[in-house]
Amino acid sequence: GENVEQHPSTLSVQEGDSAVIKCTYSDSASNYFPWYKQELGKRPQLIIDIRSNVGEKKDQRIAVTLNKTAKHFSLHITETQPEDSAVYFCAAFNFNKFYFGSGTKLNVKP
Amino acid sequence: EAGVVQSPRYKIIEKKQPVAFWCNPISGHNTLYWYRQNLGQGPELLIRYENEEAVDDSQLPKDRFSAERLKGVDSTLKIQPAELGDSAVYLCASSLSGDRDNYGYTFGSGTRLTVV
């Protein structure tokens, strides 16, 4: 089956700096890659996603890049704000299954 | 639209007691998932339904866990008897999906189970 690895497990940045979280996957059949933000005690919320026929997608301060050859995808947050502090999960979708990374705890220091 | 609705939000039970969780998916979503999320980890799939059929329950501990999705809409997940290690957040999610694609995948708020 698919194996999704996520790094780093924790990330601390200064407000206004950029944050990058990286994930790798193992199965080339995976074709959809969402990113979720989960605040303490709340449900995971989809923040951005990318499909395998696209290399990059941007939504305001958030962007995701996908390298199908290398089987990795990354989340980029620019101009970070304290409200960006949360746990972020990547996932790979493969034949009706989602495989989640282990999460990155992002702390944005004011 | 109400989104994926789960109840209860919190549950505290003593070990060896039974417990049940309920999920109402988004209207029209054919696929329903139950996940378990341990503290500091990503969600792990327990069972996936396509309409009323459980098509993937390979990760469900069948000695104590059971689930059903009667009429292909609402679903319940049951644990009997509960163990201390079952303490976690149980998330339900639903989507409109086929073999190769997925739309509208949404999580519910989850049920936080504490077994004491």
Side-chain angles (χ1 to χ4, degrees):
Chain A
E2 177 62 278
N3 180 42
V4 177
E5 294 191 356
Q6 183 171 347
H7 301 281
S9 56
T10 59
L11 180 59
S12 189
V13 300
Q14 205 67 40
E15 181 178 0
D17 289 349
S18 295
V20 180
I21 303 171
K22 299 181 180 182
C23 286
T24 61
Y25 61 100
S26 59
D27 193 335
S28 57
S30 292
N31 65 343
Y32 173 66
F33 307 91
W35 285 90
Y36 290 88
K37 175 183 180 182
Q38 188 174 29
E39 297 175 354
L40 192 64
K42 297 187 176 180
R43 77 184 79 186
Q45 297 268 23
L46 178 70
I47 56 171
I48 196 166
D49 55 12
I50 192 166
R51 297 190 181 270
S52 58
N53 58 347
V54 176
E56 184 174 355
K57 184 176 177 181
K58 190 174 182 180
D59 182 4
Q60 299 183 338
R61 298 186 296 108
I62 296 173
V64 57
T65 59
L66 171 66
N67 183 327
K68 284 169 53 181
T69 303
K71 297 196 192 73
H72 67 70
F73 56 112
S74 300
L75 176 71
H76 304 253
I77 306 174
T78 58
E79 300 171 26
T80 54
Q81 301 167 3
E83 50 266 38
D84 294 330
S85 295
V87 178
Y88 291 81
F89 292 99
C90 65
F93 180 72
N94 182 329
F95 289 101
N96 255 324
K97 263 187 158 177
F98 278 92
Y99 297 85
F100 287 88
S102 53
T104 296
K105 185 175 182 180
L106 175 64
N107 179 35
V108 180
K109 295 178 286 186
Chain B
E1 188 172 303
V4 177
V5 179
Q6 287 187 248
S7 68
R9 285 283 283 125
Y10 305 94
K11 190 74 177 179
I12 301 175
I13 61 169
E14 294 183 346
K15 62 181 180 183
K16 301 184 181 179
Q17 294 302 306
V19 65
F21 315 125
W22 176 80
C23 174
N24 179 241
I26 290 175
S27 178
H29 279 189
N30 59 323
T31 306
L32 184 146
Y33 307 75
W34 281 103
Y35 288 90
R36 176 168 57 192
Q37 186 176 24
N38 293 312
L39 190 64
Q41 298 181 21
E44 295 178 328
L45 181 69
L46 291 173
I47 189 168
R48 174 171 63 92
Y49 282 92
E50 293 288 345
N51 300 304
E52 67 274 11
E53 182 182 358
V55 296
D56 184 353
D57 62 356
S58 56
Q59 303 298 316
L60 190 72
K62 298 182 184 64
D63 56 336
R64 297 183 300 107
F65 286 65
S66 64
E68 60 182 13
R69 191 184 184 197
L70 299 176
K71 301 180 182 178
V73 182
D74 295 2
S75 177
T76 55
L77 177 68
K78 298 178 182 177
I79 308 174
Q80 182 171 12
E83 297 178 352
L84 295 176
D86 296 330
S87 296
V89 175
Y90 291 83
L91 291 164
C92 178
S94 72
S95 70
L96 184 63
S97 57
D99 286 342
R100 291 286 294 166
D101 219 330
N102 178 280
Y103 298 97
Y105 193 91
T106 305
F107 282 98
S109 297
T111 297
R112 181 176 295 277
L113 173 67
T114 302
V115 182
V116 297

